[in-house]
């Protein structure tokens, strides 16, 4: 459906509108949950809240194994350690800084592979040409909740004896062929940062099919301590505490409401922006369940008449703070741009996409009329 733009003068929003705003349980419910923690005097190290949340998430994410973490980045550092990856790992430049950084923290060179121009995920058909004798794994990201080509990535990994790790920070509850997104590859990371659909203020998890990994991962996240007299390996402190876990348990009850509110707003955006010349929306993915994590649009500067950066700046004047995810590309960071794979000639699609994407405000508390006004502001930018 094509929206007929009514060109009007808009006034700025009275309060700033950000790209996201965390849902929360009522303070009363949280206080009640905290009472259990206070009474137990058990604040961290796999207490009752931690155990309960781990169990609930294992079921919800439909995965054989799950380990909670204090944040997603430490979870991903630990995933790379637990698989003993080394040398080079092939990854995407179109992601949050944490993705290549966890490789660097493990002494591994990230090798950037170009992305698919439509899904914006790593282009599975280009992975093979990036493989060298030093390659030990593939670290792919389900960008904006769109699943990677998990079948082809696994085929390549099997052929070359590589491990596969997924960053599913945007893909909470996404399913492919009725399987939880965390069941693909060797290990999948979820982030429970405050900006994510499901959050524990800070937090994260690893999921895996091989239950034998649990022992190693759980040792690694607790300094490698096996018992009072044995430390098995150089572990780290990756433990989620009881207060985070208590919040997580309550957030699970907010999830369906938050998802359905976002689903409504998704429709409002789609109704108003679909068919606007120069604006394109994320195409429907093969996922059975949507993540509702972000609402990205792409702006074709030639067709729209304004660049993504122009639109981003103009929105600020209306008190609307969109985000240029993921600008700059990881391959443009000072710490990675000297790598051969970081050259723009190797990454033509990523270098194009990074100039076009803009994430719009998207969270359950946002009113339908506010989304309508945001769309109307965008449409009138084009006309002016
Ligand atoms: C949020 C995010 C992370 C980092 O997770 P934290 O829990 O904040 O450490 C990693 N990768 C992607 C793609 C993210 O969006």
């Amino acid at each position: 459906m094509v929206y007929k733009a009514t060109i009007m003068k808009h006034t700025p929003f009275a309060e700033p509108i950000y790209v996201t705003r965390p849902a929360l349980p009522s303070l009363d419910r949280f206080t009640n949950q905290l009472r259990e923690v206070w009474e137990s005097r058990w604040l961290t190290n796999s207490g009752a809240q931690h155990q309960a949340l781990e169990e609930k998430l294992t079921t919800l994410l439909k995965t054989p194994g799950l380990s909670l973490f204090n944040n997603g980045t430490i979870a991903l550092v630990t995933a790379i350690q637990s698989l003993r990856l080394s040398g080079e790992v092939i990854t995407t430049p179109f992601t949050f800084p944490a993705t290549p950084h966890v490789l660097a923290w493990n002494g591994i060179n990230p090798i950037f592979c170009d992305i698919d121009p439509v899904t914006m995920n790593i282009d599975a058909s280009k992975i093979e040409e990036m493989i060298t004798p030093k390659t030990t794994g593939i670290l792919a990201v389900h960008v904006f909740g769109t699943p990677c080509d998990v079948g082809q990535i696994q085929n390549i990994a099997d052929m070359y004896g590589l491990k596969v790790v997924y960053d599913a920070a945007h893909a909470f509850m996404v399913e492919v062929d009725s399987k939880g997104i965390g069941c693909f590859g060797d290990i999948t990371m979820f982030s429970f940062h405050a900006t994510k659909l499901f959050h524990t203020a800070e937090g994260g998890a690893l999921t895996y099919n091989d239950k034998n990994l649990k022992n190693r991962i759980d040792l690694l996240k607790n300094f490698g301590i096996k018992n009072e007299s044995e430390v098995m390996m150089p572990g780290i402190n990756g433990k989620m505490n009881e207060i985070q876990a208590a919040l997580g348990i309550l957030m699970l009850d907010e999830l369906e409401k938050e998802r359905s509110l976002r689903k409504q707003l998704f429709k409002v955006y789609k109704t108003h922006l679909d068919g606007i010349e120069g604006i394109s929306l994320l195409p429907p993915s093969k996922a059975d369940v949507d993540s509702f994590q972000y609402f990205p649009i792409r702006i074709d500067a030639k067709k729209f008449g304004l660049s993504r950066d122009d639109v981003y700046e103009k929105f600020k004047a209306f008190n609307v703070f969109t985000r240029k995810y993921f600008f700059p590309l990881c391959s443009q960071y000072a710490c990675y741009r000297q790598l051969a794979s970081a050259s723009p000639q190797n990454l033509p699609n990523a270098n194009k996409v990074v100039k076009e994407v803009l994430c719009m405000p998207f969270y359950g508390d946002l009113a339908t009329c506010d989304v309508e006004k945001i769309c109307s502001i965008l449409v009138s930018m084009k006309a002016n």
Side-chain angles (χ1 to χ4, degrees):
M1 164 179 173
V2 177
Y3 174 70
K4 273 265 175 247
T6 33
I7 308 304
M8 44 177 155
K9 273 253 176 269
H10 293 286
T11 51
F13 285 95
E15 298 290 329
I17 294 192
Y18 298 106
V19 77
T20 193
R21 183 164 133 168
L24 281 171
S26 74
L27 191 53
D28 279 352
R29 291 193 67 220
F30 190 46
T31 311
N32 259 331
Q33 194 79 11
L34 285 182
R35 192 160 288 128
E36 285 180 22
V37 178
W38 257 240
E39 282 164 4
S40 74
R41 287 280 170 136
W42 191 296
L43 301 184
T44 187
N45 288 59
S46 198
Q49 307 291 322
H50 184 287
Q51 285 172 32
L53 182 61
E54 208 165 78
E55 217 175 281
K56 285 173 191 286
L57 284 173
T58 305
T59 309
L60 183 68
L61 296 176
K62 299 189 176 177
T63 166
L66 184 145
S67 299
L68 293 173
F69 277 81
N70 51 0
N71 65 61
T73 304
I74 294 291
L76 209 44
V77 166
T78 309
I80 306 292
Q81 271 285 315
S82 70
L83 297 171
R84 300 178 174 87
L85 300 186
S86 63
E88 295 176 354
V89 167
I90 296 167
T91 191
T92 170
F94 190 63
T95 182
F96 188 70
T99 318
H101 287 354
V102 301
L103 299 174
W105 274 66
N106 277 288
I108 294 168
N109 261 338
I111 302 297
F112 296 112
C113 176
D114 203 12
I115 60 173
D116 180 281
V118 177
T119 65
M120 300 182 270
N121 285 330
I122 195 167
D123 183 344
S125 72
K126 294 199 177 123
I127 292 175
E128 230 175 321
E129 62 201 67
M130 310 301 293
I131 296 174
T132 75
K134 289 186 187 156
T135 310
T136 56
I138 300 164
L139 172 55
V141 183
H142 304 297
V143 175
F144 304 134
T146 306
C148 291
D149 189 344
V150 289
Q152 203 185 339
I153 290 174
Q154 195 59 55
N155 287 342
I156 296 165
D158 290 345
M159 199 144 59
Y160 291 89
L162 307 176
K163 299 287 186 190
V164 179
V165 178
Y166 285 109
D167 176 337
H170 301 176
F172 191 78
M173 282 175 77
V174 167
E175 292 181 14
V176 175
D177 299 332
S178 307
K179 282 167 80 176
I181 194 73
C183 296
F184 297 94
D186 294 280
I187 302 183
T188 296
M189 178 278 278
F190 293 90
S191 165
F192 307 148
H193 182 257
T195 53
K196 306 302 199 276
L197 179 87
F198 168 77
H199 74 88
T200 57
E202 290 269 10
L206 294 179
T207 64
Y208 33 83
N209 289 324
D210 178 1
K211 283 198 190 159
N212 294 327
L213 269 174
K214 182 158 182 69
N215 193 25
R216 184 167 165 76
I217 287 172
D218 288 352
L219 277 170
L220 276 171
K221 76 171 189 188
N222 187 29
F223 312 100
I225 296 173
K226 186 180 179 195
N227 55 43
E228 283 178 55
S229 53
E230 281 174 284
V231 175
M232 306 292 287
M233 54 188 85
I236 200 163
N237 183 356
K239 302 186 303 295
M240 176 181 280
N241 69 49
E242 287 293 275
I243 299 173
Q244 289 171 289
L247 178 57
I249 289 168
L250 299 181
M251 283 308 299
L252 286 175
D253 299 334
E254 306 295 320
L255 207 55
E256 269 326 298
K257 183 175 155 224
E258 180 66 17
R259 284 172 56 85
S260 72
L261 287 168
R262 289 186 187 205
K263 193 173 180 174
Q264 284 309 311
L265 296 180
F266 183 97
K267 283 187 195 153
V268 178
Y269 269 125
K270 204 167 151 53
T271 307
H272 290 75
L273 299 182
D274 218 2
I276 302 283
E277 167 114 21
I279 302 270
S280 51
L281 310 183
L282 204 59
S285 80
K286 285 190 210 122
D288 306 334
V289 180
D290 201 300
S291 69
F292 297 114
Q293 172 65 51
Y294 289 113
F295 194 90
I297 62 170
R298 281 172 71 173
I299 299 167
D300 180 328
K302 276 212 187 85
K303 290 188 187 149
F304 190 68
L306 287 171
S307 70
R308 184 276 313 271
D309 289 351
D310 294 336
V311 171
Y312 166 84
E313 288 300 331
K314 280 181 184 274
F315 263 133
K316 282 189 191 170
F318 292 97
N319 231 356
V320 177
F321 299 89
T322 57
R323 290 298 295 265
K324 304 182 205 178
Y325 285 136
F326 292 99
F327 172 84
L329 291 175
C330 300
S331 50
Q332 294 168 330
Y333 303 169
C335 51
Y336 301 127
R337 65 180 168 226
Q338 76 288 356
L339 296 171
S341 66
S343 82
Q345 294 94 292
N346 183 48
L347 307 166
N349 293 335
N351 279 278
K352 180 170 186 287
V353 162
V354 75
K355 295 190 194 105
E356 296 180 352
V357 177
L358 195 65
C359 284
M360 306 298 285
F362 192 54
Y363 50 88
D365 274 348
L366 193 60
T368 301
C369 60
D370 289 345
V371 172
E372 284 167 346
K373 177 167 163 180
I374 290 166
C375 292
S376 178
I377 290 170
L378 179 61
V379 171
S380 46
M381 281 180 203
K382 181 182 170 74
N384 289 339

